[in-house]
């Protein structure tokens, strides 16, 4: 408990110190566009390895085996593709947010629609991180779950209110190191203490519990968000230039691939060594921390996981609040952005008050954004130097994809991939029509930062 208090005080102190350096909206949102490739990559990794990559993937590996790798493996592929394709180009744009980019490419109406999707979806993602943080805080403190949810949620929210993006990226480097250390030592201890399974580890990427349709669903609904996402783009916008953005995306993709394998191996260890079924609602990782690790390592792993969750939650919260301020309200007020950060942090706590499934909350958010926004945005980026997309077709692509994506969360599991294919297929078709019926342009419609051509 003392360590938890010290951890919280340290982050709040760093947030307060950085709050004194925030001079304008650009400092609060993009940390002055001054980050190198290593810091961008570490921050990207810290941002994407959150609740889903820890509690959710371990639980999934316990149930379906090694194919749980695809939750983050699809993201690693997305980041690598991003690094070799458009990451450098994005770092040259003189913009603050993903929705800012949407307006330059597709008009004001598209910006508003995308902004609403981002604020709703990313507030849900923040809530999912708070759920996972509450599990850890409850384990450390002995508080009941809802008390832990409020304490963890308010702590992260206040930290974000104070320092903004500068604090978030500064602590991301420390937090990703703590996370990797905790996961690595836990993996080493578990397998060195029990040995390898008699039949070895089954590295099959598909099985009876996770078939090709599930893989396709993950690649579309989850992986695409790593290729085009407001939080990922927000990190790239902080880079000094194109080279730093490309290196950051590629570094985070490679590291995410390795981290994903390590996390899945922890879940497989539980699958092979747990002798009794879990209690209703019990998390596999919590059971490992409580019963199978020595005290010092258990606490180290808890803080490593908490660091991963805080890093993901703070990025998503800053993304949601600054999108609300800049893209819905149309302002650049740091004070109002901080107020919105506080409000959305509280809304995230309320939104997940009665939720238990981290994966389900995340899939809801991803399915709305990834199936509706990504196809038209990718198409518009590709053709940004050639054509201005037709606005009605673009808005239809966003709305139809997002609506069918949202509906996919309420159908039978066997039908989810079908809904995802239909959603992204229609969104892509409408996006192509938007290009065909759009107008020619003589040069890029997105303004460039000074010194970039």
């Amino acid at each position: 408990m003392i360590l938890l208090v010290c951890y919280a005080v340290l982050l709040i102190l760093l947030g307060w110190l950085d709050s004194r350096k925030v001079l304008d909206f650009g400092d609060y949102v993009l940390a002055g566009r001054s980050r190198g490739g290593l810091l961008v990559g570490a921050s990207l990794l810290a941002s994407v390895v959150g609740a889903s990559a820890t509690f959710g993937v371990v639980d999934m590996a316990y149930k379906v085996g090694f194919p749980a790798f695809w939750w983050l493996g699809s993201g690693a592929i997305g980041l690598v593709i991003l690094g070799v394709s458009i990451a450098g180009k994005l770092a040259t744009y003189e913009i603050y947010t993903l929705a800012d980019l949407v307006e330059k490419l597709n008009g004001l109406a598209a910006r508003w629609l995308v902004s609403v999707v981002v604020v709703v979806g990313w507030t849900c993602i923040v809530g999912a991180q708070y759920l996972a943080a509450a599990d850890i805080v409850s384990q450390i403190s002995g508080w009941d779950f809802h008390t832990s949810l409020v304490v963890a949620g308010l702590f992260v929210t206040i930290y974000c209110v104070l320092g903004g993006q500068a604090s978030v990226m500064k602590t991301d480097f420390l937090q990703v190191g703590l996370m990797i250390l905790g996961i690595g030592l836990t993996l080493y201890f578990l397998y060195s203490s029990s040995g390898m399974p008699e039949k070895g580890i089954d590295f099959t990427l598909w099985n009876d519990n996770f078939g090709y349709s599930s893989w396709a669903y993950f690649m579309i609904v989850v992986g695409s968000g790593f290729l085009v996402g407001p939080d990922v783009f927000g990190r790239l916008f902080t880079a000094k230039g194109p080279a730093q953005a490309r290196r950051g995306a590629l570094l985070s993709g490679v590291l995410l691939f390795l981290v994903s394998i390590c996390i899945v191996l922890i879940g497989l260890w539980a699958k092979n060594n747990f002798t009794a079924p879990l209690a209703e609602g019990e998390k596999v990782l919590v059971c490992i921390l409580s019963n199978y690790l020595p005290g010092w390592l258990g606490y180290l792993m808890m803080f490593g996981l908490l660091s991963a969750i805080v890093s993901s939650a703070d990025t998503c919260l800053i993304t949601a609040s600054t999108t609300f301020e800049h893209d819905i309200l149309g302002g650049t007020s740091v004070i109002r952005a901080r107020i919105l950060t506080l409000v959305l942090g509280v809304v995230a706590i309320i939104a997940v008050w009665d939720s238990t499934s981290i994966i389900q909350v995340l899939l809801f958010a991803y399915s709305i954004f990834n199936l509706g926004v990504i196809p038209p945005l990718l198409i518009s980026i590709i053709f940004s130097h050639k054509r201005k997309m037709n606005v009605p077709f673009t808005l239809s692509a966003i709305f139809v994809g997002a609506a069918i994506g949202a509906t996919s969360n309420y159908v039978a599991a066997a039908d989810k991939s079908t809904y995802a294919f239909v959603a992204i297929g229609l969104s892509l078709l409408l996006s192509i029509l938007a290009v065909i019926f759009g107008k020619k342009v003589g040069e890029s419609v997105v303004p460039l930062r000074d010194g970039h051509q």
Side-chain angles (χ1 to χ4, degrees):
M1 187 64 187
I2 294 175
L3 290 174
L4 181 62
V5 172
C6 291
Y7 177 82
V9 170
L10 175 61
L11 290 188
I12 294 295
L13 177 61
L14 288 173
W16 176 74
L17 291 173
D18 280 323
S19 70
R20 303 165 66 187
K21 302 176 184 177
V22 175
L23 302 177
D24 56 28
F25 193 70
D27 289 335
Y28 188 75
V29 179
L30 300 178
R33 301 185 192 268
S34 60
R35 283 4 189 194
L38 180 60
L39 187 55
V40 170
S43 188
L44 265 173
L45 182 65
S47 301
V48 300
V49 180
S52 66
T54 51
F55 290 86
V57 170
V58 171
D59 282 349
M60 192 183 302
Y62 180 74
K63 296 174 183 176
V64 307
F66 191 78
F69 160 82
W70 286 114
W71 178 271
L72 285 178
S74 62
I77 293 172
L79 286 172
V80 170
I81 294 174
L82 175 64
V84 299
S85 58
I86 62 174
K89 185 176 183 179
L90 292 170
T92 66
Y93 291 159
E94 185 62 51
I95 51 180
Y96 290 109
T97 64
L98 179 142
D100 211 0
L101 175 62
V102 169
E103 181 186 0
K104 308 301 181 185
L105 296 172
N106 301 302
L108 185 60
R111 173 181 185 163
W112 285 344
L113 183 56
V114 168
S115 299
V116 171
V117 172
V118 169
V119 170
V120 172
W122 263 247
T123 301
C124 290
I125 294 174
V126 172
Q129 311 307 321
Y130 288 174
L131 283 176
D135 277 327
I136 295 178
V137 171
S138 177
Q139 186 72 19
I140 295 174
S141 65
W143 297 333
D144 66 85
F145 178 78
H146 285 109
T147 300
S148 300
L149 177 62
V150 171
V151 170
L154 289 180
F155 154 66
V156 176
T157 300
I158 293 170
Y159 164 61
C160 290
V161 167
L162 290 173
Q165 198 74 275
S167 287
V168 168
M169 293 193 73
K170 186 178 297 182
T171 55
D172 275 352
F173 197 79
L174 172 64
Q175 289 170 329
V176 76
L178 187 59
M179 172 194 70
I180 292 175
L181 179 63
I183 291 173
L185 287 176
T186 296
L187 190 63
Y188 173 79
F189 179 85
L190 291 176
Y191 280 93
S192 63
S193 62
S194 65
M196 297 294 288
E198 290 185 6
K199 297 182 180 180
I201 297 175
D202 183 3
F203 288 100
T204 303
L205 293 172
W206 299 274
N207 58 30
D208 292 339
N209 296 316
F210 191 96
Y212 293 111
S213 63
S214 298
W215 170 78
Y217 180 75
F218 271 36
M219 292 296 293
I220 293 172
V221 175
V222 180
S224 58
F226 291 76
L227 175 60
V228 179
D231 47 351
V232 174
F233 277 22
R235 284 293 179 268
L236 298 179
F237 294 155
T238 68
K240 291 179 182 179
Q244 290 79 9
R246 284 192 293 269
R247 283 198 293 266
L250 290 171
L251 174 64
S252 62
V254 172
L255 291 177
L256 183 60
F257 181 87
L258 299 175
V259 168
S260 177
I261 293 175
C262 291
I263 294 173
V264 170
L265 288 175
I266 292 175
L268 292 181
W269 182 91
K271 186 179 181 70
N272 292 321
N273 289 277
F274 279 8
T275 57
L278 294 170
E280 181 72 23
E282 185 178 8
K283 301 286 193 302
V284 175
L285 202 47
V286 172
C287 182
I288 291 174
L289 296 176
S290 303
N291 304 303
Y292 293 93
L293 297 181
W296 67 271
L297 182 53
Y299 281 111
L300 176 62
M301 183 60 171
M302 285 182 191
F303 280 99
L305 294 174
L306 187 59
S307 294
I309 292 163
V310 169
S311 294
S312 187
D314 55 24
T315 299
C316 293
L317 186 54
I318 291 289
T319 297
S321 63
T322 54
T323 297
F324 203 129
E325 164 60 19
H326 184 58
D327 302 304
I328 294 179
L329 300 182
T332 55
S333 168
V334 175
I335 294 176
R336 199 160 54 205
R338 283 177 165 146
I339 293 172
L340 288 168
T341 300
L342 178 61
V343 171
L344 292 178
V346 173
V347 169
I349 295 172
I350 296 171
V352 298
W353 190 260
D354 294 321
S355 300
T356 57
S357 175
I358 295 168
I359 293 293
Q360 286 304 116
V361 175
L362 290 167
L363 282 176
F364 178 80
Y366 290 154
S367 61
I368 295 174
F369 178 85
N370 295 7
L371 299 179
V373 176
I374 288 179
L377 183 55
L378 268 180
I379 293 294
S380 59
I381 290 173
I382 293 170
F383 289 94
S384 62
H385 287 274
K386 299 177 182 178
R387 299 191 70 83
K388 181 86 171 179
M389 292 176 68
N390 177 276
V391 173
F393 276 115
T394 301
L395 293 177
S396 298
I398 296 170
F399 181 80
V400 169
I404 299 176
T407 304
S408 70
N409 292 278
Y410 303 100
V411 302
D415 297 325
K416 286 184 181 294
S417 58
T418 301
Y419 274 72
F421 279 124
V422 171
I424 203 166
L426 288 176
S427 184
L428 184 60
L429 174 61
L430 291 166
S431 300
I432 294 172
L433 291 175
V435 172
I436 294 173
F437 291 99
K439 298 179 180 179
K440 291 183 178 181
V441 295
E443 58 184 17
S444 175
V445 296
V446 185
L448 301 180
R449 292 163 55 185
D450 292 341
H452 297 286
Q453 299 297 324

